[in-house]
Amino acid sequence: MLWESLCIRASEQIREFSGRHLANVAWSLALTSRNGPLLTGLSHEVLLKAESSELTPQSLANVLWSFACLALWDSADSCRVPLEAVHNYAEAFNGRDLSNTLWALSLYDSHDAVHWHRVLISLAQTATKRAGQLHPNDLTSVAWAFVDATPLQLHWLQRNSKLKVTSSS
């Protein structure tokens, strides 16, 4: 009953939420494995804020991590990924944002493969450039993101970029 009341109230006010607030709501939904009308409204607001550059790199990374945990990519709830924002923020991501975003996108089976792959290449190039400065936890998480990527994604990435990528399968 409390959860439902909170979701109703949040849905009523979601347009007033900052990017950080949206990320926190997405995170709480992911940790409680809940979705519904609030998630649909949240997804819409995230897209609007991403298009108007109102999300910080950390907020965007946290939202994408949350959507990946909820496994709602391209579902009926229409949790679309603001891919252009990810591409634009690639250089601004810190190590944790970079690893969380790569992991989330490794689970994203996009119908817009060309755009998705462009974003993945941008993030992979950023990770490659900054590998020496990444904290060991973030470096490990970046590696795991590529382990989680499908063999088809890795094949495309290797074929269409200058990065050396090998599949574990």
Side-chain angles (χ1 to χ4, degrees):
M1 181 103 163
L2 175 62
W3 182 259
E4 289 78 17
S5 296
L6 290 172
C7 287
I8 289 168
R9 188 70 178 133
S11 292
E12 293 168 353
Q13 295 183 343
I14 199 136
R15 285 194 165 93
E16 300 169 29
F17 286 15
S18 69
R20 183 175 51 90
H21 294 133
L22 292 172
N24 289 342
V25 169
W27 181 78
S28 69
L29 291 172
L31 290 181
T32 58
S33 300
R34 297 181 188 254
N35 58 37
L38 176 58
L39 186 63
T40 303
L42 175 83
S43 179
H44 178 74
E45 283 302 311
V46 164
L47 285 170
L48 291 176
K49 296 240 189 282
E51 289 170 0
S52 62
S53 300
E54 293 180 52
L55 288 176
T56 64
Q58 181 181 9
S59 293
L60 180 59
N62 290 347
V63 165
L64 295 175
W65 178 90
S66 300
F67 285 178
C69 287
L70 288 166
L72 290 173
W73 301 126
D74 288 336
S75 71
D77 290 318
S78 191
C79 289
R80 294 184 5 220
V81 178
L83 290 173
E84 193 59 38
V86 174
H87 178 72
N88 293 340
Y89 287 2
E91 291 292 327
F93 283 135
N94 66 27
R96 178 167 292 145
D97 299 339
L98 185 63
S99 64
N100 286 343
T101 302
L102 275 166
W103 176 81
L105 291 179
S106 75
L107 302 181
Y108 180 60
D109 185 21
S110 175
H111 298 293
D112 183 6
V114 172
H115 194 79
W116 179 89
H117 287 111
R118 183 174 70 95
V119 170
L120 186 61
I121 287 170
S122 176
L123 290 171
Q125 288 172 334
T126 300
T128 300
K129 281 191 273 186
R130 297 193 357 223
Q133 293 90 20
L134 291 176
H135 185 277
N137 286 344
D138 298 328
L139 188 58
T140 302
S141 295
V142 166
W144 272 112
F146 287 105
V147 168
D148 283 342
T150 66
L152 182 60
Q153 292 167 338
L154 292 173
H155 174 71
W156 194 97
L157 185 61
Q158 187 172 24
R159 204 178 81 229
N160 293 288
S161 75
K162 296 177 182 171
L163 301 172
K164 301 250 188 254
V165 179
T166 58
S167 176
S168 60
S169 43

